Amino acid sequence: MLVEVTDREAIATHCRKRPGVHAYLLGDLDDFFWPYTRWYAWSPGGAIEQLALVYGEPEPPVLLALGDPPLEDVGRLLAELAPTLPDRVYAHLTTVGLRALLDDFEAETAPAEHLKLALVDTDGLRSFANAGVELLAPSHLGELERLYDAAYPGTWFQPRMLETGRYLGIRDDGRLVCVAGVHVHSPRYGVAVLGNVATHPEARGRGLATKACGELCRLLLEDGIDTIALNVRSDNETAIGAYRRLGFEPVAEFVEVMLRRRHR
């Protein structure tokens, strides 16, 4: 049975069974993100067995449904949810979930294979103490946007993300050349997802992003965050290697794909 869910604690209880996999979902329960969310559960016996989240702040909205074993049930959830989804969504799905939507949607882009990584070993982070990073604030928005234009055009960044206070930058001769931030950050739910990590093309190859991410993880742990995760393309071996050196390991495989409703 497909139901819409509004009970945050029930959602959190389900997501905490696999917090690294469901880090985005846990983070989006926070008051900072909650108003932009709608939650749907597969709940044949009354308890949540699968979850899907439609996050409505960006355009198009984002659909998150990585699912839990047995994954066939997340396919059932999405097949029933499909008629009520927006006509265009950017989806994070398992292959089972994607197949369940293809009767109603077609892919605008080739599905890009991704890994979700979670921080499992914090010992290596001690080396990033006093790493020469700067805490960025909303007043830095202009120079941050210029860095993204040069280094990471098209990244999913909303200016209000700077209000989390968890964006760190590195400068070279006064110019901002590297940044590491968060897509979600919730001390209440003990979770953060790293995102919008970028290095100016002229400053690459110096380990700046690894340094910024390492110090950011240290700061998040000091916040009381116990689940730190991120998404990375499966073919980005350089980034995966850097994150492994920081103590991250894969916890899930999924695809990201832009979907558009089929009009018959």
Side-chain angles (χ1 to χ4, degrees):
M1 174 184 291
L2 176 69
V3 295
E4 186 165 359
V5 186
T6 58
D7 184 339
R8 276 194 262 195
E9 289 311 310
I11 295 169
T13 297
H14 175 81
C15 292
R16 285 187 178 119
K17 297 174 184 176
R18 296 204 299 162
V21 174
H22 298 309
Y24 267 107
L25 303 189
L26 281 167
D28 286 336
L29 292 171
D30 195 275
D31 288 346
F32 190 82
F33 307 100
W34 176 258
Y36 303 95
T37 64
R38 294 190 72 176
W39 303 80
Y40 303 90
W42 181 254
S43 184
I48 296 173
E49 295 186 9
Q50 301 286 352
L51 269 174
L53 164 64
V54 178
Y55 188 82
E57 182 179 25
E59 181 56 44
V62 177
L63 169 65
L64 303 172
L66 298 192
D68 296 286
L71 290 178
E72 290 75 12
D73 285 346
V74 79
R76 295 185 179 96
L77 182 160
L78 291 168
E80 290 202 19
L81 182 60
T84 63
L85 286 173
D87 287 345
R88 198 163 175 263
V89 291
Y90 189 73
H92 296 204
L93 303 168
T94 61
T95 54
V96 171
L98 178 58
R99 285 198 301 270
L101 290 176
L102 289 181
D103 283 345
D104 295 272
F105 289 84
E106 59 186 352
E108 286 188 14
T109 58
E113 295 182 357
H114 281 69
L115 295 174
K116 186 173 292 291
L117 308 182
L119 185 65
V120 299
D121 183 357
T122 62
D123 288 347
L125 298 178
R126 287 192 293 267
S127 63
F128 294 96
N130 303 313
V133 298
E134 172 185 350
L135 193 63
L136 301 179
S139 60
H140 297 104
L141 176 61
E143 58 183 333
L144 181 56
E145 289 182 327
R146 288 192 292 274
L147 174 58
Y148 285 139
D149 285 344
Y152 198 176
T155 187
W156 181 58
F157 172 73
Q158 301 289 325
R160 75 188 195 94
M161 290 177 176
L162 281 170
E163 297 172 21
T164 63
R166 291 301 174 260
Y167 272 70
L168 298 183
I170 296 177
R171 296 184 181 275
D172 188 1
D173 290 332
R175 182 179 64 157
L176 186 67
V177 296
C178 180
V179 63
V182 292
H183 279 159
V184 297
H185 172 253
S186 176
R188 175 179 176 182
Y189 290 97
V191 65
V193 178
L194 304 192
N196 296 319
V197 179
T199 304
H200 194 282
E202 296 175 3
R204 289 174 182 163
R206 295 158 49 187
L208 298 183
T210 303
K211 181 185 296 186
C213 287
E215 182 61 16
L216 178 56
C217 287
R218 280 174 34 81
L219 182 60
L220 293 170
L221 292 171
E222 291 174 3
D223 289 341
I225 300 297
D226 53 32
T227 297
I228 302 175
L230 58 92
N231 297 340
V232 62
R233 282 185 64 114
S234 299
D235 60 0
N236 191 343
E237 296 181 1
T238 300
I240 293 169
Y243 289 127
R244 282 185 180 273
R245 289 191 292 276
L246 289 172
F248 286 84
E249 293 293 341
V251 293
E253 299 177 356
F254 66 100
V255 298
E256 293 189 13
V257 59
M258 186 70 73
L259 297 175
R260 178 179 57 211
R261 187 175 300 278
R262 299 180 188 273
H263 293 289
R264 301 185 175 99

